[in-house]
Amino acid sequence: MIINLLACVGLMFILKYGTILNSYRKFVTNLHPKIAELHKCSLCLGFWTGVIIGVADHLLNNTSYYFLPLASSALCWFVDNLNNMIQSVEIKIDKDLDL
């Protein structure tokens, strides 16, 4: 279960921030405004990555973690906000050092 949650967080970060997927994001976000909104929300994207990883794990290993999408959503949101907070502190420290 821990490996699955880490995979969900990794997939969420790649889908949301990965520069290699810029063309993918431009394509799918032009399909519908809700898809664009989905790719901006770590809570939403975390849920769907949990669904994808859960289905893949069920098909490959015949396991069922019914709450994986919910746990993935919460963990992805937490890790994304933690990352944003760390980046904000880093930017503030850099500005303070430049003065």
Side-chain angles (χ1 to χ4, degrees), residues 79-93:
V79 172
D80 192 35
N81 283 307
L82 182 65
N83 182 48
N84 290 339
M85 185 183 70
I86 291 170
Q87 287 178 341
S88 296
V89 169
E90 178 187 17
I91 290 169
K92 183 180 181 335
I93 290 172

Side-chain angles (χ1 to χ4, degrees), residues 53-93:
I53 299 295
V55 167
D57 193 39
H58 178 71
L59 293 174
L60 294 173
N61 300 322
N62 202 23
T63 57
S64 296
Y65 299 119
Y66 297 111
F67 294 110
L68 180 65
L70 301 175
S72 170
S73 181
L75 184 63
C76 287
W77 175 82
F78 177 77
V79 172
D80 192 35
N81 283 307
L82 182 65
N83 182 48
N84 290 339
M85 185 183 70
I86 291 170
Q87 287 178 341
S88 296
V89 169
E90 178 187 17
I91 290 169
K92 183 180 181 335
I93 290 172

